[in-house]
Amino acid sequence: MFDIKAIKVELAKVANLEQLDLFFQTYLGKSGSITLAFKAMGSLSPEEKKSLGQELTQVKTQVTEAYESTQRALSADQINAQLNADIVDSSLETADSEQGSYSLLANVRRDAEEICKSLGFIIEYGTEVVTKFENFESVNIPLTHPATEMHDTIYLQDKDPSGENFILRTHTSSMQNYLIQKHGLPLKAVVPSRVYRYENMDAHHDVMFYQLEGIVVDKGLSVAHFKDMMEKLLSALLHKKVETRMRPGYFPFVEPGFEIDARYEIYDPATGKKELSKWIELLGAGMVHPNVLKVAGVDSDERSGFAFGIGISRLAAIRYGIKDIRYFTNGDLRFAKSFA
Ligand code: PHE
């Protein structure tokens, strides 16, 4: 009566949901042939009804199952087709698109942060606007001391609670006190951040520059620990093995204070020879002054520490052989792109 095979062949030819709907109407819908066959059974004898009913039920089940599985496949096809049509081709370039990148200075700073983290330093940035207390007195520079003149300070109009004008920090050493108080001891922290000075700009000076301040305070730290750590740190930061030399230097917040120079092996491609570079003055440093520890509430008989301040532009200039640090911030795209 119903040729299931033929019906399935017909179904296999259905290519979309509209055609499938038509198939449904033809067999299973209100006036579909299978539905009508069921209705027509009313006039039959009970025996005939039973055998035909069973046969028809089987037909209906098989056709319905085949119909439903075709419906699922076609719906999935349709959804996939829609998704494909909606896909944005992100590989398409528009005429004026250009890929940005970090600036060279940002890259050197980020690299320095990774290195310091791997050596166990906490990273803090602090604030750029500070009180004169934080910038000077907390690091053993009385406001009347001529050392305040060492840094040409940029003053803000707003005043702090003690009535002094806020300033832009002239060095990241302004964070030493805060770091000890916030993190407690033992402390091992760096501040890779901006500082400001009222300076005439030239190839080596800028009004804004980045320093990498480091401070380590614990029990029993000596200059020997310090020299060893500086050699490791500077070698990592400059990506070459460096040798360091310490000369006496004056900074009110350290005692003794040092200027640290570094030199490293250079290869001259012209002669094919390896030789040592000149000593390069790299940073100010020293053992943390007992007065700085006292201000932070630390017993200076029991604890000691060292601190250092490196110019990040200087690191970058040495690493990449750049003669004028103003290139780092003047927005010259030719420079930026050559390091992108
Ligand atoms: N704060 C000093 C400067 O800006 C550098 C320094 C940091 C020196 C820590 C000693 C110890 O020049």
Side-chain angles (χ1 to χ4, degrees):
M1 182 186 43
F2 282 103
D3 182 349
I4 298 265
K5 258 195 187 159
I7 294 177
K8 285 191 175 167
V9 169
E10 199 184 325
L11 187 60
K13 288 189 192 142
V14 162
N16 55 43
L17 289 172
E18 283 91 68
Q19 288 176 14
L20 184 66
D21 194 43
L22 218 69
F23 173 89
F24 182 85
Q25 301 306 334
T26 311
Y27 294 100
L28 302 163
K30 261 192 197 162
S31 42
S33 51
I34 296 176
T35 317
L36 292 181
F38 269 110
K39 283 189 184 158
M41 283 197 320
S43 54
L44 299 176
S45 71
E47 268 84 68
E48 283 173 324
K49 250 189 217 171
K50 200 176 166 202
S51 73
L52 188 64
Q54 272 175 358
E55 197 185 317
L56 270 182
T57 307
Q58 245 187 21
V59 169
K60 189 177 174 185
T61 312
Q62 285 198 37
V63 174
T64 306
E65 270 170 14
Y67 160 80
E68 282 174 355
S69 96
T70 307
Q71 190 186 37
R72 276 194 297 276
L74 286 178
S75 307
D77 282 353
Q78 199 168 45
I79 290 169
N80 284 333
Q82 187 63 43
L83 285 175
N84 281 330
D86 286 350
I87 279 176
V88 175
D89 183 357
S90 56
S91 67
L92 263 186
E93 275 189 40
T94 58
D96 60 353
S97 80
E98 261 191 81
Q99 179 130 32
S101 67
Y102 285 114
S103 74
L104 182 56
L105 203 52
N107 270 332
V108 172
R109 179 177 53 77
R110 291 161 71 91
D111 179 55
E113 288 180 8
E114 288 310 312
I115 289 167
C116 290
K117 262 191 247 170
S118 73
L119 292 172
F121 284 93
I122 298 168
I123 313 261
E124 282 267 5
Y125 303 98
T127 56
E128 292 170 24
V129 172
V130 294
T131 62
K132 277 163 101 179
F133 173 81
E134 289 169 306
N135 199 77
F136 298 121
E137 288 173 291
S138 81
V139 282
N140 199 36
I141 312 175
L143 294 185
T144 51
H145 195 282
T148 53
E149 310 286 315
M150 279 165 60
H151 303 173
D152 291 301
T153 309
I154 297 173
Y155 286 83
L156 303 182
Q157 279 180 346
D158 289 343
K159 293 197 176 5
D160 69 29
S162 75
E164 295 280 0
N165 289 69
F166 279 112
I167 61 172
L168 293 179
R169 65 178 168 201
T170 63
H171 58 172
T172 40
S173 302
S174 61
M175 293 283 293
Q176 290 189 2
N177 196 270
Y178 167 86
L179 289 170
I180 298 175
Q181 307 226 26
K182 176 169 175 197
H183 296 288
L185 300 183
L187 174 71
K188 193 173 179 189
V190 286
V191 187
S193 270
R194 285 195 186 104
V195 300
Y196 299 83
R197 292 187 195 173
Y198 185 64
E199 302 239 31
N200 284 326
M201 286 162 71
D202 63 27
H204 305 289
H205 299 89
D206 204 339
V207 289
M208 185 286 288
F209 54 100
Y210 282 82
Q211 285 189 328
L212 179 70
E213 180 89 9
I215 178 162
V216 181
V217 183
D218 202 348
K219 278 188 182 149
L221 288 179
S222 72
V223 177
H225 295 119
F226 185 30
K227 183 162 159 66
D228 178 60
M229 161 158 282
M230 281 328 283
E231 228 150 72
K232 287 200 177 89
L233 180 63
L234 291 173
S235 297
L237 292 173
L238 289 170
H239 290 247
K240 43 188 151 238
K241 176 110 196 61
V242 303
E243 190 189 333
T244 60
R245 165 174 92 174
M246 295 162 112
R247 289 176 290 111
Y250 174 66
F251 303 95
F253 31 94
V254 285
E255 180 57 39
F258 308 109
E259 304 269 1
I260 297 185
D261 305 332
R263 69 174 176 186
Y264 40 84
E265 219 170 55
I266 38 177
Y267 171 71
D268 182 351
T271 61
K273 274 192 197 150
K274 283 183 181 169
E275 51 184 352
L276 281 173
S277 71
K278 282 191 283 189
W279 285 107
I280 301 167
E281 190 181 324
L282 264 189
L283 63 136
M287 303 307 286
V288 179
H289 196 290
N291 287 351
V292 175
L293 295 176
K294 267 181 219 147
V295 174
V298 172
D299 180 351
S300 60
D301 288 333
E302 209 183 285
R303 307 284 190 149
S304 56
F306 49 80
F308 55 87
I310 313 177
I312 295 183
S313 311
R314 192 152 177 70
L315 278 184
I318 293 169
R319 220 172 115 185
Y320 292 96
I322 288 148
K323 300 274 181 294
D324 188 329
I325 65 163
R326 286 171 292 189
Y327 276 119
F328 290 131
T329 48
N330 72 0
D332 186 333
L333 283 180
R334 289 169 305 173
F335 178 83
K337 280 181 181 166
S338 61
F339 291 100

